[in-house]
């Protein structure tokens, strides 16, 4: 899913729906829709998770914010995180899952399953 056709657009906030539309159009104009089965998208996403894992492999624990990382390493990390996100969004769409709705419902379930610790009086 790589490429940087609009890498310098400075987009700060974009909805999952907007990303979904962009992904659908991206696949459509390249005639890739026939390859975007749930299985293929899942396997592609797993491959990207592997590439993401390689970035952290052998580094040990790293500090929040990655203060000791080179900017080029952070950029690479952003690209791999983006690949995972984009495949996840496309997979959800192809499966007919409203990802924002499903994620919101999951947060509610998790808040019930894992309530905050009670505060002593």
């Amino acid at each position: 899913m790589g490429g940087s056709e609009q890498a310098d657009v400075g987009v700060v906030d974009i909805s999952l729906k907007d990303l979904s539309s962009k992904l659908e159009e991206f696949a459509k104009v390249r005639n890739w829709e026939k390859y975007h089965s749930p299985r293929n998208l899942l396997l592609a996403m797993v491959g990207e998770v592997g590439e993401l894992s390689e970035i952290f492999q052998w580094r040990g624990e790293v500090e929040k914010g990655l203060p000791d990382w080179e900017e080029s390493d952070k950029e690479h990390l952003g690209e791999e995180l983006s690949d995972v996100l984009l495949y996840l969004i496309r997979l959800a769409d192809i499966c007919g899952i409203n990802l924002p709705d499903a994620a919101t419902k999951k947060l509610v379930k998790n808040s019930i399953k894992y309530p905050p610790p009670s505060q002593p009086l």
Side-chain angles (χ1 to χ4, degrees):
M1 293 239 155
S4 59
E5 294 172 357
Q6 295 182 339
D8 295 325
V9 293
V11 175
V12 174
D13 191 13
I14 186 169
S15 71
L16 290 182
K17 185 176 183 176
D18 290 340
L19 284 172
S20 172
S21 295
K22 288 178 184 294
L23 286 168
E24 183 177 9
E25 182 64 20
F26 187 90
K28 189 175 195 173
V29 300
R30 289 162 178 79
N31 200 25
W32 287 358
E33 293 170 307
K34 60 188 169 202
Y35 304 114
H36 285 190
S37 67
R39 176 190 170 275
N40 287 349
L41 290 167
L42 174 63
L43 292 175
M45 185 175 68
V46 167
E48 294 299 338
V49 169
E51 290 181 28
L52 179 60
S53 298
E54 287 177 349
I55 295 171
F56 287 93
Q57 187 175 13
W58 313 121
R59 288 186 183 251
E61 285 300 322
V62 296
E63 291 182 49
K64 184 177 180 178
L66 313 175
D68 299 328
W69 285 35
E70 298 291 327
E71 281 306 310
S72 61
D73 291 331
K74 288 182 180 182
E75 183 178 344
H76 183 212
L77 175 60
E79 290 171 354
E80 297 306 333
L81 286 167
S82 297
D83 284 341
V84 172
L85 175 65
L86 295 173
Y87 276 121
L88 178 64
I89 292 168
R90 187 72 173 142
L91 176 60
D93 286 345
I94 294 297
C95 292
I97 302 298
N98 178 326
L99 196 55
D101 184 55
T104 301
K105 288 177 180 175
K106 183 62 176 173
L107 282 172
V108 170
K109 282 185 177 182
N110 284 348
S111 69
I112 294 167
K113 186 175 181 179
Y114 305 104
S118 13
Q119 299 294 323
L121 296 173

